[in-house]
Amino acid sequence: MEKILLRNIDAPDSHTLAGHRSRGGYRALEKVLREMTPEKLIDEVKASGLRGRGGAGFPTGMKWGFVPKDNPKPKYVVCNADESEPGTFKDRLLIEKDPHAIVEGTIIAAYAIRSHTAFIYIRGEMFYGAQVLERAIDEAAAAGYLGKNILGSGYDIDLILHRGAGAYICGEETGLLSSLEGGKGWPKLKPPFPATHGLFGSPTVVNNVETLAALPWIIEQGAARYAAIGTEKSKGTKLFSVSGHIKKPGVYEVDMGYPFKKFLEEDCGGVANGRKLKGVIPGGASMPVLRAEELDGITMDYESFQAAGTLLGSGGVIVMDESTCMVRAAWNIARFFAHESCGQCSPCREGCHWMEKIFNRIEHGAGRAGDLEMILSISGNIGGNTICPFGDAASWPAAAFIKKFRSEFDEHIAAGKCTIH
Amino acid sequence: MDPVKITLDGKEITTEKGKTVIQAAADAGIDIPHYCYHPKLTIAGNCRMCLVEIEKMPKLQIACNTQATEGMAVKTQSPKVLEARRAVMEFLLINHPLDCPICDQAGECWLQDYYMKHDLTPSRFDERKEHERKREIFGPYVVFDGERCIKCTRCVRFFQEVTHTDELTVVNRGDHSTIALFPGQTLDNPLSVNVVDICPVGALTDRDFRFKVRVWYLKKTPSICPGCSTGCNISVETYQNRIARFKPRVNEAVNSHWLCDEGRYVFHSLTEGERLTSPMIRQEGGLVPVDWDTALQAVAAGLAANAPAAAILSGRSTNEEAFLFGRMMKKISPEAKQEVFYRERELTEVEKVLMSPDRSPNFRGARHMGVGSEAGVEPLLQAIIEGRLRSAYIVGEDLVSLSEDGENLKSALGKLSFLVVQDIRMTPTAALAHVVLPATHFGEKAGTYTNRRGRVQKLEAAIVPPAGALQDWEIFSRLLGESYAAPEEIFAVAAREVPAYAGLDYEKIGALGADLEAQKQ
Amino acid sequence: MAVAFSQESLKRFDEIVHRYPKKEAAMLPVLYLAQREFGYIGPEVMDYVAEIMDVPVARVYGVVTFYTMFNMKPIGRHHIQVCRTLPCALAGSERITAAIKEKLKIGVGETTPDGRFTLTEVECLASCGTAPMMQVNDDYYENLTEKNVGEILDRLK
């Protein structure tokens, strides 16, 4: 499998400027400044087929193309380093081990939309990661990759590191922008979209850490090489974070299209402690869980996961073996969403906590007939009716756990306790 | 106007470019249910109640944030929309307290109204409700109930965008979100009670009105606020012949949707207290009740015999009253100096959003009707204090209490040869009079006011005066020796004689008033 | 004002504000600065931040109550934040929390009487591959066991 994103991280000096440069770092930026207009750059990224790696999978080149070129307002690029999707820890790896790839990628993205001010919004809890990034930014500035007239190109670019303060919703594009503007992380109504009305009402592009970190390689090696990897609709490689009941948890870089079951059983070593696989969440806690029996034929790409009734999302793979109580797992996730709901709109504000209360009651032995239908109904009433995708993210797992493990839920309710342990 | 055609439930509607679906619907008389949307505040889009189905869009869209575009087909009654509405209603009600029996909002509560109109499904919530602060005093007039609140943020946005005072905010997250004042702060800006009007539920309620009367018992009469010369359009809401509260009426040309706190509660000071119920004449030992004929004869004779006279009309008198008063004084006491009471005061920035720097709602109309001069009332009061006048006819203002020089004015008025005071209560000024005439206040009057900007607006009588009192216009017309059936007739005469009012009548003035400048064209 | 930044913090405040295209964007870093200087963000600190940031104090209040990392009350010297979300739960985070409660004799949300430790549970910290884990103040402690978590706490004075 191709190593693009993780090609540098094994070296002990991978996070330093010197280390980055010794492995070809900033050559891509030099190439962009030397040979490419923003339009050509956007076309190249479009041709690569790169899709947003935060969870939504929106084609990156197309997103850049939405920014109006002749808008007089300043334009902004924001690197979304607010990684908070449960089961996901790939951005943290890149931040701590290859910060310069992120810096370089951010500058390239800024150039594409003619932005002169870029931000990296990093979640507040990643204090160490923020230190590493701050040092990398300082090094880059000292070396002339940031500031006025970088590398003599005539292009100015400022990069500001900004720490969040503990809110999952700030990983949502417009929630991030509200937070960056100095307020609560309340998502904004769309339309208008950030491409035309983003940070401070100006055209803004928000890209995930992994998306930006892929850019230097794509520029250097060419879009065609990137597009040669993967499937028809899912190009290139993706970082998957694997955790839970698995022998070898960690971050894996996988060619899109790789067989999922093979990945879990071979590359990740299979289920730990000799137990049997029960279920897998493939794309972070927001994504519908898959039963072990459903994995055959699924490949690790956007289309295949979607066809299987779930989504690739952030690629946070959470493995659950037969010792897992699915009721408790569902409650855990419902509790997460209830805790993280920003509270702005009524279906999410009231519905997430309602679902949590019911799951809580079932888990602790006080489940009643009709509870599961109630959760399914609430889930259906939240989804599609909210300001931002958080509502969908909260409603899908609730419904999926019940649908996929219905008999376990029924037994748990009937017995008044967990029937797995 | 850039016209845009859309269809709403199959019906074609023409609206303007730039309008949202909810605005276009409202203009066409179709109410799409909503909570957080308010025509004068920015779009919040958080209640999700106005979700509608739009052809070619897979998800339901909120009508308040969707621009109407040419050919758009909107459905507000499709099964998907009705289901979404019921879902939103259910979510809003699950943590809502069962307060209806003790909540002032009952009868004008949007949760109640929309439940009856768009929901009617029984509650499925069977968990513990979240609890929040109740009965939290926000300010001198506003009390907050966190459990009833639906977090629509209308109140937050009002203080951000209309008064720019930013007192309220949303704190916490998720279903612990609630509205809060910064610790130690009070909600006491001059327009604070407007949030009680715009709160769709009983989360923000009026302390003055608290528990007084159920709103479905209120009789509602459109009128004009007598607080100052802005002339905010109000609804005077009464019960058992007493004013219970003011509510603003919408008039974009005057007060938009708003009413200031001072105006809102001015009816207390202007109407409460023991009423005069009989004319009185001063004899040995004090004021004694007499019949109207005796009293009015004494007025005419007394003024004629004690020139020169001062005639001071209340700033709250109507145009009709001012018109008759001016002519009446000219007839009885031709050299009398006539003025309408008017005094300016300093206003704060927030007050200036709505209020005028006076407490004379009809000073301008009275001037149009012939009462008063450029000099104003202050020189006239000074003349009284200096003893240069021998008699006075004071209508509807307790000058002794209003004056900075109260003691001197009181003693000067006491030295007048003849003093007539026409008022509703035995004020310190009335106590000095030789003749006291019981009259009415704004809430009992029909008539017109002309506001500071030259807009003529109608008052309607909301309550009935006590037996024994007469309308001010009736008193003046008797003294004039003329007879009118109603104020509308007086206005018709005035309109013929005062050029600025030519062609106006009550019908043209209507519910929202008529602008004199526009009249000229 | 009851509280005010030290000279050094004022210098830092200026640096922070000048980095951003608009002053209001500096709200979060300024609140962090205030929390470090004053220990926690109570009403007086919020008043002060509102003044130096030129925003209504209600806005500061809304922001501080929204984010989990701002403390409105003083907490222990070492803030133990154990991750409780699914991947850590699958790895036994509840046993770690129980061990900490047992050792420190406090419950979740409480502070030891000597002010040394505060224990809270938090959501996913993006360390699922090394679960179970916790964050203490600025630092992550990963691959916890019931045994080593006690040793870690002993080292934290």
Side-chain angles (χ1 to χ4, degrees):
Chain A
M1 293 208 266
E2 190 79 54
K3 269 221 169 166
I4 297 175
L5 293 154
L6 300 185
R7 69 190 183 286
N8 298 322
I9 59 153
D10 290 322
D13 64 349
S14 66
H15 58 288
T16 66
L17 176 62
H20 185 68
R21 273 213 282 233
S22 73
R23 282 176 289 278
Y26 288 107
R27 280 215 290 263
L29 176 60
E30 287 161 15
K31 179 177 175 186
V32 165
L33 294 172
R34 202 177 48 235
E35 301 171 11
M36 301 173 97
T37 60
E39 286 73 29
K40 185 149 176 254
L41 174 56
I42 294 177
D43 283 340
E44 185 74 356
V45 172
K46 275 184 181 166
S48 73
L50 176 65
R51 289 168 68 165
R53 296 290 194 242
F58 196 87
T60 308
M62 195 189 292
K63 197 186 223 181
W64 291 356
F66 288 149
V67 174
K69 288 182 240 326
D70 34 22
N71 188 308
K73 290 194 242 179
K75 313 209 186 15
Y76 298 108
V77 162
V78 184
C79 167
N80 187 344
D82 192 69
E83 183 171 65
S84 307
E85 181 72 31
T88 318
F89 45 101
K90 52 155 180 109
D91 292 340
R92 179 166 157 235
L93 180 67
L94 292 174
I95 289 166
E96 294 179 358
K97 296 283 193 200
D98 206 354
H100 279 284
I102 302 168
V103 171
E104 189 178 355
T106 305
I107 302 171
I108 292 173
Y111 181 83
I113 66 161
R114 294 179 169 83
S115 155
H116 301 291
T117 309
F119 297 87
I120 299 178
Y121 184 106
I122 185 169
R123 65 179 291 182
E125 296 90 338
M126 283 187 191
F127 189 78
Y128 174 64
Q131 283 183 320
V132 175
L133 268 174
E134 192 75 67
R135 216 175 304 133
I137 292 173
D138 288 341
E139 287 183 313
Y145 297 116
L146 290 168
K148 300 234 177 301
N149 187 19
I150 60 168
L151 305 182
S153 67
Y155 177 62
D156 302 337
I157 178 67
D158 236 337
L159 180 53
I160 302 159
L161 180 67
H162 183 96
R163 288 179 64 214
Y168 165 84
I169 193 63
C170 292
E172 198 278 329
E173 178 179 58
T174 59
L176 187 160
L177 294 176
S178 294
S179 179
L180 188 48
E181 287 167 351
K184 299 191 276 271
W186 275 12
K188 301 173 189 289
L189 295 177
K190 295 196 275 210
F193 293 85
T196 53
H197 291 80
L199 187 65
F200 302 124
S202 286
T204 306
V205 158
V206 181
N207 282 139
N208 175 259
V209 164
E210 189 186 342
T211 314
L212 294 168
L215 291 173
W217 191 97
I218 292 175
I219 297 301
E220 259 206 287
Q221 306 294 331
R225 256 201 81 181
Y226 193 78
I229 306 163
T231 69
E232 193 201 322
K233 296 219 183 95
S234 309
K235 301 295 184 193
T237 63
K238 170 93 188 78
L239 295 181
F240 285 86
S241 319
V242 184
S243 66
H245 298 145
I246 196 77
K247 266 222 190 73
K248 297 195 283 181
V251 178
Y252 294 83
E253 182 162 14
V254 177
D255 286 0
M256 291 283 210
Y258 193 77
F260 193 34
K261 200 159 169 206
K262 177 168 183 227
F263 172 68
L264 292 173
E265 286 171 355
E266 293 176 24
D267 302 83
C268 302
V271 177
N273 300 318
R275 287 205 264 260
K276 271 174 41 203
L277 182 67
K278 187 169 177 183
V280 187
I281 298 173
S286 313
M287 302 311 166
V289 64
L290 294 166
R291 294 180 64 92
E293 308 86 79
E294 291 181 272
L295 299 186
D296 290 304
I298 296 182
T299 52
M300 299 165 80
D301 51 76
Y302 294 103
E303 317 88 276
S304 184
F305 280 122
Q306 188 168 10
T310 181
L311 288 172
L312 185 149
S314 65
V317 179
I318 307 174
V319 179
M320 292 170 284
D321 68 26
E322 55 192 326
S323 72
T324 310
C325 170
M326 287 310 182
V327 177
R328 199 166 181 84
W331 172 53
N332 185 296
I333 292 181
R335 186 179 60 180
F336 169 81
F337 284 107
H339 185 259
E340 298 292 346
S341 167
C342 78
Q344 211 190 158
C345 70
S346 23
C348 176
R349 178 181 68 241
E350 309 293 343
C352 289
H353 286 258
W354 191 3
M355 289 197 296
E356 188 275 327
K357 284 183 173 142
I358 303 177
F359 276 121
N360 192 343
R361 205 170 25 78
I362 297 173
E363 161 59 12
H364 292 101
R368 299 189 284 260
D371 273 346
L372 302 177
E373 281 69 27
M374 192 73 237
I375 294 175
L376 291 173
S377 173
I378 297 168
S379 162
N381 283 339
I382 299 174
N385 289 337
T386 53
I387 293 178
C388 81
F390 183 103
D392 301 315
S395 65
W396 293 336
F401 271 105
I402 292 173
K403 287 194 193 134
K404 299 291 174 85
F405 297 97
R406 181 64 193 240
S407 53
E408 182 175 343
F409 276 88
D410 285 333
E411 283 161 26
H412 194 120
I413 291 175
K417 62 186 176 70
C418 180
T419 53
I420 303 296
H421 302 121
Chain B
M1 144 147 159
D2 211 344
V4 166
K5 280 205 191 64
I6 66 170
T7 49
L8 206 60
D9 297 328
K11 202 176 95 167
E12 194 180 85
I13 295 184
T14 306
T15 180
E16 275 170 52
K17 182 155 179 245
K19 291 228 168 170
T20 56
V21 171
I22 206 172
Q23 287 171 327
D27 291 343
I30 298 170
D31 175 52
I32 295 178
H34 57 279
Y35 292 106
C36 65
Y37 168 74
H38 190 283
K40 307 306 285 187
L41 303 173
T42 55
I43 308 288
N46 63 45
C47 71
R48 316 308 285 179
M49 193 63 189
C50 70
L51 286 167
V52 291
E53 199 175 332
I54 301 185
E55 221 174 73
K56 297 197 205 108
M57 291 190 179
K59 285 187 352 178
L60 297 177
Q61 302 293 325
I62 46 175
C64 63
N65 194 45
T66 304
Q67 297 280 320
T69 57
E70 185 69 31
M72 186 179 260
V74 180
K75 290 190 227 174
T76 71
Q77 303 296 326
S78 73
K80 266 165 74 174
V81 172
L82 298 183
E83 198 188 312
R85 268 184 209 150
R86 276 193 284 269
V88 170
M89 283 303 301
E90 181 172 49
F91 284 131
L92 290 175
L93 287 169
I94 61 172
N95 284 312
H96 197 77
L98 272 59
D99 274 4
C100 292
I102 57 161
C103 175
D104 277 334
Q105 199 81 9
E108 53 189 21
C109 169
W110 294 27
L111 279 174
Q112 285 184 341
D113 293 347
Y114 286 161
Y115 177 81
M116 296 306 288
K117 200 164 170 203
H118 302 290
D119 191 353
L120 286 176
T121 55
S123 172
R124 302 186 299 171
F125 183 77
D126 203 357
E127 318 296 328
R128 279 199 59 223
K129 285 186 187 259
E130 290 299 318
H131 290 298
E132 251 301 329
R133 298 119 55 218
K134 293 182 85 72
R135 295 179 297 277
E136 179 165 306
I137 306 294
F138 266 4
Y141 305 117
V142 180
V143 59
F144 174 68
D145 188 308
E147 290 182 349
R148 300 177 189 169
C149 175
I150 59 170
K151 289 67 151 178
C152 71
T153 71
R154 277 175 163 206
C155 56
V156 176
R157 283 174 283 143
F158 176 82
F159 291 126
Q160 284 173 350
E161 298 161 18
V162 180
T163 61
H164 305 290
T165 46
D166 301 282
E167 288 97 335
L168 296 181
T169 186
V170 179
V171 297
N172 302 335
R173 207 160 80 181
D175 75 351
H176 296 296
S177 297
T178 184
I179 306 294
L181 264 177
F182 185 71
Q185 279 197 348
T186 340
L187 195 60
D188 60 356
N189 76 61
L191 267 61
S192 72
V193 190
N194 284 295
V195 292
V196 169
D197 295 334
I198 63 176
C199 178
V201 301
L204 290 169
T205 50
D206 183 338
R207 293 179 71 190
D208 183 73
F209 183 67
R210 190 174 177 79
F211 298 158
K212 289 230 168 96
V213 56
R214 280 310 198 181
V215 303
W216 52 84
Y217 292 132
L218 291 172
K219 175 166 150 262
K220 299 181 184 184
T221 310
S223 194
I224 304 297
C225 174
C228 75
S229 62
T230 300
C232 294
N233 287 207
I234 58 173
S235 166
V236 181
E237 308 195 348
T238 61
Y239 176 61
Q240 295 183 339
N241 209 45
R242 296 196 32 197
I243 299 176
R245 67 178 188 185
F246 282 1
K247 279 285 188 192
R249 277 188 298 130
V250 178
N251 189 334
E252 288 300 342
V254 185
N255 56 307
S256 185
H257 290 68
W258 318 125
L259 189 58
C260 76
D261 295 358
E262 188 181 294
R264 189 183 293 266
Y265 299 123
V266 77
F267 67 88
H268 286 299
S269 60
L270 291 182
T271 71
E272 283 162 8
E274 201 180 315
R275 293 292 291 267
L276 296 169
T277 52
S278 171
M280 298 195 211
I281 288 188
R282 185 168 297 281
Q283 289 170 3
E284 296 284 332
L287 289 165
V288 298
V290 295
D291 61 273
W292 277 101
D293 282 333
T294 310
L296 294 180
Q297 273 165 32
V299 169
L303 287 174
N306 289 284
I312 299 177
L313 186 66
S314 167
R316 282 180 297 278
S317 297
T318 61
N319 288 329
E320 294 77 359
E321 291 162 356
F323 182 71
L324 292 182
F325 182 74
R327 286 159 69 235
M328 180 267 296
M329 281 309 299
K330 270 212 188 70
K331 185 171 170 193
I332 298 181
S333 181
E335 321 93 57
K337 295 242 181 319
Q338 305 175 23
E339 292 295 346
V340 62
F341 186 81
Y342 176 82
R343 186 169 280 158
E344 288 222 345
R345 55 182 173 144
E346 283 287 326
L347 290 182
T348 63
E349 282 310 307
V350 183
E351 286 175 330
K352 284 182 194 163
V353 170
L354 200 56
M355 296 160 79
S356 296
D358 59 70
R359 290 196 170 94
S360 301
N362 197 39
F363 80 90
R364 196 147 173 208
R367 292 281 311 275
H368 289 159
M369 294 294 138
V371 176
S373 68
E374 281 300 323
V377 74
E378 300 299 341
L380 190 53
L381 290 174
Q382 194 55 31
I384 295 176
I385 290 175
E386 287 168 9
R388 289 188 265 132
L389 297 157
R390 291 187 62 212
S391 60
Y393 191 155
I394 300 171
V395 180
E397 299 284 2
D398 180 12
L399 293 177
V400 168
S401 304
L402 285 171
S403 178
E404 279 123 34
D405 205 359
E407 279 312 306
N408 279 338
L409 184 60
K410 185 174 172 187
S411 109
L413 287 172
K415 292 199 189 101
L416 288 174
S417 311
F418 187 70
L419 174 62
V420 184
V421 174
Q422 180 169 321
D423 212 319
I424 63 169
R425 296 170 290 214
M426 182 55 72
T427 63
T429 307
L432 301 168
H434 296 97
V435 182
V436 176
L437 302 174
T440 58
H441 62 63
F442 75 94
E444 297 154 345
K445 292 188 208 274
T448 56
Y449 279 169
T450 303
N451 79 357
R452 191 179 195 79
R453 297 238 169 85
R455 187 177 196 84
V456 190
Q457 305 185 108
K458 265 195 299 186
L459 284 81
E460 282 179 36
I463 54 179
V464 167
L470 273 185
Q471 294 286 352
D472 294 62
W473 66 262
E474 279 187 82
I475 299 172
F476 300 149
S477 66
R478 284 202 204 184
L479 284 167
L480 250 182
E482 288 173 9
S483 157
Y484 298 91
E488 190 162 2
E489 228 181 85
I490 305 170
F491 189 87
V493 177
R496 285 199 294 274
E497 301 202 8
V498 180
Y501 290 67
L504 269 181
D505 56 40
Y506 276 18
E507 207 188 305
K508 285 213 182 73
I509 293 170
L512 295 176
D515 188 44
L516 289 177
E517 272 302 310
Q519 269 295 108
K520 278 194 202 153
Q521 281 117 37
Chain C
M1 279 295 130
V3 297
F5 274 152
S6 64
Q7 279 302 106
E8 201 185 308
S9 291
L10 275 174
K11 206 164 142 269
R12 188 85 194 93
F13 168 73
D14 271 325
E15 283 165 22
I16 292 172
V17 165
H18 279 101
R19 274 192 296 169
Y20 291 87
K22 290 210 179 163
K23 186 176 185 183
E24 53 207 74
M27 178 66 77
L28 264 57
V30 170
L31 284 171
Y32 273 126
L33 186 65
Q35 185 158 273
R36 239 176 241 272
E37 170 131 349
F38 303 115
Y40 62 99
I41 305 179
E44 290 158 348
V45 176
M46 286 192 243
D47 249 324
Y48 179 64
V49 170
E51 191 191 303
I52 59 176
M53 286 296 290
D54 258 313
V55 296
V57 69
R59 182 168 162 93
V60 180
Y61 191 30
V63 167
V64 170
T65 56
F66 181 83
Y67 296 99
T68 60
M69 293 179 68
F70 294 131
N71 305 312
M72 287 194 286
K73 296 208 174 81
I75 54 168
R77 270 194 317 285
H78 304 286
H79 185 187
I80 305 166
Q81 301 155 84
V82 181
C83 173
R84 67 174 185 182
T85 318
L86 187 61
C88 277
L90 293 170
S93 62
E94 283 161 23
R95 288 196 297 275
I96 303 297
T97 305
I100 298 174
K101 283 165 73 174
E102 169 68 38
K103 182 180 169 69
L104 300 182
K105 306 278 184 264
I106 56 174
V108 172
E110 295 176 356
T111 304
T112 53
D114 62 2
R116 189 171 157 202
F117 293 111
T118 295
L119 173 63
T120 57
E121 282 180 316
V122 296
E123 302 291 347
C124 184
L125 290 171
S127 192
C128 325
T130 51
M133 56 80 62
M134 66 184 178
Q135 179 169 13
V136 183
N137 293 354
D138 296 328
D139 305 316
Y140 278 20
Y141 293 88
E142 302 162 68
N143 294 311
L144 296 174
T145 63
E146 286 164 87
K147 182 159 180 285
N148 71 18
V149 72
E151 288 159 12
I152 293 168
L153 294 184
D154 285 335
R155 291 201 300 269
L156 293 167
K157 303 297 170 204

